[in-house]
Amino acid sequence: MTDRSPSELPDVFTRAEVLVQALPHMQRYDQQVVVIKYGGHAMGDAAAAEDFAEDVVLLEQSGVLPIVVHGGGPQIGGMLNRLGITSEFQAGLRVTDKATVEVVEMVLAGSINKQLVGTIAAEGGRAIGLCGKDGNMVTARKVTRSIVDPESHEERIVDLGFVGEPQRVNRAVLDAVLKAELIPVLAPVAPGEDGATYNINADTFAGAIAGAMRAKRLLLLTDVPGVLDKNKELMPQLTVDDCRRLIADGTITGGMIPKVETCIYALEQGVEGVVILDGKVPHAVLLELYTDHGAGTLITR
C-alpha cells in the first residue's frame, strides 16, 4: 500500500463511481463485435492517436471484440504530391489510375496500417495489420459514378479507375483473429475478381465488415460532432426512416450523405446500432460505449 494524502481521496472516489457507472455498459458489450472506422485529421495527431489506441486496448481488455478500419486520404494525397503524381477528382472521388492505386496500397496497407498497429502495441494491445487481400477477406467490384455535364446538362458515366466497393466479405480470417484475442486493424484495399487491386472508401469498407460480422456497434469517427440539424445542432438519436427523411428534405447534405447511407446499409445487414461521432474528442470511443452521455449521433432501425 502506498501513502496517500486525504486530498487525493475525493478523486479516487470519483474514479470508483465512474467505473461503477460503466459496469452495465461493459456487460452490454461483453464478447460483442464493435467495428470502429478511424480516420480524418485525428490520424495525424500523436496525442489523439494515443487516446484512440488506449480506448481500443481498454475495450479488448474488458471483453469487447474490437475491429479497427482506418482511412488515410490526407496521407495518400501527401505521398502522391511527394512523388509528383497528380490526382483528379470526379463526382467527389479520387480517380485512381494504376500508378495511384500502387501508392494507395503502399500508404494504406503499409505505413499507416503498421503505424497504427505499433501505436496499439505501445499501449499494451496485441494487434495485427491486415487488408482485404489477406485470406480473401474482401472481394471488390469496380465503382462507377454518373455526373451531369454542366454544359450539355446530359448525364454521363465517370470512370474512376481502380476505385471499388465491397462485393463479398469472408469472415473466416476475422473470426480466427478474434478467437486468438488479437485486434484486427484493417486497410480498405481489396482485390477484384479481375485480379486488380481496388481502393475502397473506408466508411463503406467498415460498413461491409460490420454487416458481415453482425456487429453490436459500428462507430464512424469523423471531423464533426455527428449528424446536425438545419440549425447546426447535434441530433443525438435517429432512426433509418428519420435519416431518409432528412436526406430528402436537404438537412443531411454533402459528405454526410454517403456516411449515413453506409449506416443504413450496415443496419440492414444486422448491425444493432451505428454511431457517427467526432474523433477529435479525447476518448470519444469510451464516452460513446461506456457512459450514458454518448458522443455523437446513434442511428438504429
Side-chain angles (χ1 to χ4, degrees):
M1 179 180 293
T2 58
D3 293 331
R4 289 169 293 182
S5 66
S7 63
E8 293 177 328
L9 291 179
D11 185 56
V12 171
F13 292 140
T14 299
R15 293 183 183 186
E17 182 64 26
V18 168
L19 290 173
V20 169
Q21 291 178 3
L23 181 59
H25 299 284
M26 292 180 174
Q27 292 171 330
R28 178 189 305 165
Y29 294 106
D30 185 48
Q31 297 304 302
Q32 298 294 318
V33 172
V34 173
V35 177
I36 310 166
K37 183 266 178 171
Y38 176 59
H41 297 297
M43 289 186 66
D45 183 282
E50 185 177 311
D51 285 347
F52 175 76
E54 289 174 346
D55 288 3
V56 171
V57 172
L58 193 149
L59 289 180
E60 196 275 332
Q61 290 294 312
S62 61
V64 178
L65 305 175
I67 298 174
V68 177
V69 176
H70 65 81
Q75 292 86 344
I76 292 169
M79 180 60 73
L80 289 171
N81 288 337
R82 287 197 292 274
L83 295 174
I85 299 174
T86 303
S87 290
E88 178 188 357
F89 287 84
Q90 294 274 8
L93 295 173
R94 188 193 305 273
V95 177
T96 305
D97 59 16
K98 188 165 177 30
T100 301
V101 79
E102 289 176 357
V103 174
V104 167
E105 184 170 16
M106 176 180 69
V107 173
L108 289 180
S111 59
I112 293 178
N113 188 269
K114 302 314 173 190
Q115 183 178 10
L116 187 49
V117 167
T119 304
I120 292 172
E123 299 303 326
R126 297 169 61 236
I128 182 169
L130 302 166
C131 74
K133 290 184 174 183
D134 294 301
N136 295 322
M137 184 193 310
V138 178
T139 303
R141 60 173 165 244
K142 182 180 175 68
V143 165
T144 59
R145 289 287 186 271
S146 61
I147 62 172
V148 177
D149 189 286
E151 295 182 1
S152 67
H153 302 292
E154 294 182 355
E155 191 175 48
R156 64 182 177 88
I157 301 297
V158 176
D159 186 352
L160 296 169
F162 297 98
V163 175
E165 62 186 7
Q167 181 175 10
R168 291 190 304 275
V169 177
N170 179 354
R171 56 178 288 172
V173 171
L174 290 173
D175 285 335
V177 168
L178 294 174
K179 186 176 181 181
E181 299 183 353
L182 297 171
I183 300 168
V185 178
L186 310 182
V189 176
E193 291 182 338
D194 56 2
T197 298
Y198 286 92
N199 177 24
I200 299 174
N201 174 275
D203 289 339
T204 306
F205 193 96
I209 294 293
M213 299 301 293
R214 300 295 189 270
K216 183 83 168 178
R217 281 288 186 272
L218 166 61
L219 307 184
L220 299 180
L221 273 62
T222 70
D223 297 326
V224 295
V227 181
L228 307 180
D229 63 20
K230 289 187 176 179
N231 295 319
K232 304 304 179 185
E233 297 292 330
L234 177 69
M235 292 183 279
Q237 191 158 354
L238 296 169
T239 66
V240 168
D241 287 342
D242 291 333
C243 291
R244 291 185 171 130
R245 173 177 52 80
L246 293 168
I247 291 173
D249 71 14
T251 301
I252 296 175
T253 60
M256 187 56 71
I257 292 177
K259 287 185 185 296
V260 171
E261 288 175 342
T262 291
C263 297
I264 293 172
Y265 168 82
L267 292 166
E268 289 174 343
Q269 297 303 306
V271 176
E272 183 179 290
V274 185
V275 184
I276 300 175
L277 65 161
D278 190 347
K280 302 190 299 295
V281 174
H283 300 293
V285 172
L286 294 186
L287 285 172
E288 175 57 39
L289 295 180
Y290 283 173
T291 74
D292 295 327
H293 173 70
T297 300
L298 170 64
I299 303 174
T300 59
R301 290 189 290 276

